[in-house]
Amino acid sequence: MEKTGLLQKEPGAKEPGPARTWRELGLKLTPQRLAILEYLDGNTAHPAAEEIFAALSGRFPGLSLATVYNTLAILRDRGRLLELTIDPSKRRYDPQVKPHHHLICLSCKRIADIEHTFALEIPGALRMGYEITGNQIEFYGLCPDCKKRAKRTGGGGHVHRP
Amino acid sequence: MEKTGLLQKEPGAKEPGPARTWRELGLKLTPQRLAILEYLDGNTAHPAAEEIFAALSGRFPGLSLATVYNTLAILRDRGRLLELTIDPSKRRYDPQVKPHHHLICLSCKRIADIEHTFALEIPGALRMGYEITGNQIEFYGLCPDCKKRAKRTGGGGHVHRP
DNA sequence: ATAAATGCAAAGCATTTGCAGTAAA
DNA sequence: TTTACTGCAAATGCTTTGCATTTAT
């Protein structure tokens, strides 16, 4: 089932499906790439390259991490995948490319999507002559699980994030 | 001159100034650390470790990058410095720890601060039981300089960011 | 047949760590 | 004097690159 459009045709492609689209770009749709596309499509876990690799290397013995990175870079460059920089130590990928926001649990680092549009207008005096084209909000908080755990253990670690 | 409080006492410290504060924590205020504090205080350029190192290594021949990282980690852990993950390839630091937002030029990557509070309420249906404690907004756009340049060269590169 | 993609290994960076010497306190 | 900090170099971890071989088209 189709969830984020990753397996559908690209905006400019003449025919539907990923195979034709890739072919028209002079790119080849290999089994590895198709597996990555399928793994990512509709995935809301915001996986990093390593996790994608781990999830697929069972089915593809000898799959290379370089191939995963290669495919992710192509998808990202074509705007079919968002590269999240939320995690300072590794890049995470999000197949949901429609503008949306993130809700990050300060304790377990889980990232949830918020599909909602907020009307944000920067006061002119603060806009400094910039032309604003978009925004991306990170909400911080505690997920239900960690809220429960915090109550049980009474308190917890300090985190310096909004 | 004092700008972001980095040279002032910590919330819990009994005496003013950075020296006493560090001493009370069992930490030593070395010339290197003081130089880093002074460089960062009021700095709105969101520098990375390497840039701080480059700026100070003239005055401190033999200054170590490890010392810069060490000091940044201490300040970050004590909540006196924000570690920005906006740039996927290196961490940037912001001495402004009061909640604020960022305005990023998609072309030159310059980061400006937006000191303004936006009232953001996530619709209950989308809140998924999370307890929200804060938010951080990244605005994307073009700075005045790049806007001018784009007009001159007619168009420019594509960037897949909001 | 022809390009492009693959896997592997090596290289590249940013960041961290280990440690003997140095300097705040 | 004591203990933390320093610089250096080595190590780590994520990501990228080079290249000979394989594979989609």
Side-chain angles (χ1 to χ4, degrees), chain A:
Chain A
M1 204 216 110
E2 169 70 51
K3 302 127 192 171
T4 47
L6 214 46
L7 295 172
Q8 286 181 312
K9 74 175 190 66
E10 297 233 346
K14 295 192 195 71
E15 305 181 57
R20 316 286 168 105
T21 298
W22 288 66
R23 195 186 308 150
E24 288 168 14
L25 292 167
L27 300 173
K28 292 170 178 173
L29 185 62
T30 64
Q32 292 90 332
R33 287 183 176 174
L34 186 55
I36 294 171
L37 285 174
E38 287 172 350
Y39 179 77
L40 248 21
D41 187 43
N43 187 317
T44 61
H46 310 85
E50 188 70 49
E51 298 165 56
I52 299 168
F53 172 74
L56 300 176
S57 58
R59 182 146 43 106
F60 289 91
L63 170 66
S64 166
L65 198 46
T67 296
V68 175
Y69 275 110
N70 170 2
T71 303
L72 291 173
I74 291 172
L75 293 170
R76 181 244 287 136
D77 290 347
R78 303 201 58 76
R80 314 225 65 196
L81 214 47
L82 237 47
E83 189 173 66
L84 307 184
T85 59
I86 289 169
D87 186 332
S89 68
K90 52 175 162 267
R91 304 179 190 186
R92 305 192 153 277
Y93 295 88
D94 191 340
Q96 175 56 280
V97 293
K98 294 203 305 263
H100 68 286
H101 308 287
H102 291 114
L103 176 43
I104 303 159
C105 176
L106 291 171
S107 179
C108 69
K109 315 301 178 201
R110 192 188 318 193
I111 303 172
D113 288 329
I114 302 288
E115 307 212 11
H116 185 260
T117 300
F118 296 86
L120 297 177
E121 184 79 16
I122 303 178
L126 298 174
R127 217 176 297 138
M128 304 151 96
Y130 275 67
E131 177 182 324
I132 312 295
T133 61
N135 64 70
Q136 217 276 304
I137 309 172
E138 280 158 30
F139 291 94
Y140 295 94
L142 281 180
C143 70
D145 290 357
C146 290
K147 215 194 309 183
K148 235 178 289 172
R149 196 172 311 121
K151 208 161 280 170
R152 218 183 309 122
T153 61
H158 291 262
V159 186
H160 289 292
R161 286 270 203 179

Side-chain angles (χ1 to χ4, degrees), chain B residues 28 30 32-33 62-64 67:
Chain B
K28 291 170 180 172
T30 64
Q32 292 91 330
R33 287 183 175 173
L63 170 67
S64 166
T67 296

Side-chain angles (χ1 to χ4, degrees), chain B residues 131-150:
Chain B
E131 178 182 324
I132 313 294
T133 60
N135 64 69
Q136 217 276 304
I137 309 172
E138 281 157 30
F139 290 95
Y140 295 94
L142 282 181
C143 70
D145 291 356
C146 290
K147 214 193 312 185
K148 235 177 287 170
R149 197 171 311 122

Side-chain angles (χ1 to χ4, degrees), chain B residues 55-82:
Chain B
L56 300 177
S57 57
R59 181 147 43 107
F60 288 90
L63 170 67
S64 166
L65 198 44
T67 296
V68 175
Y69 275 110
N70 170 2
T71 304
L72 291 174
I74 292 172
L75 293 170
R76 181 243 287 136
D77 291 347
R78 302 201 60 76
R80 315 223 68 196
L81 214 48
L82 237 44

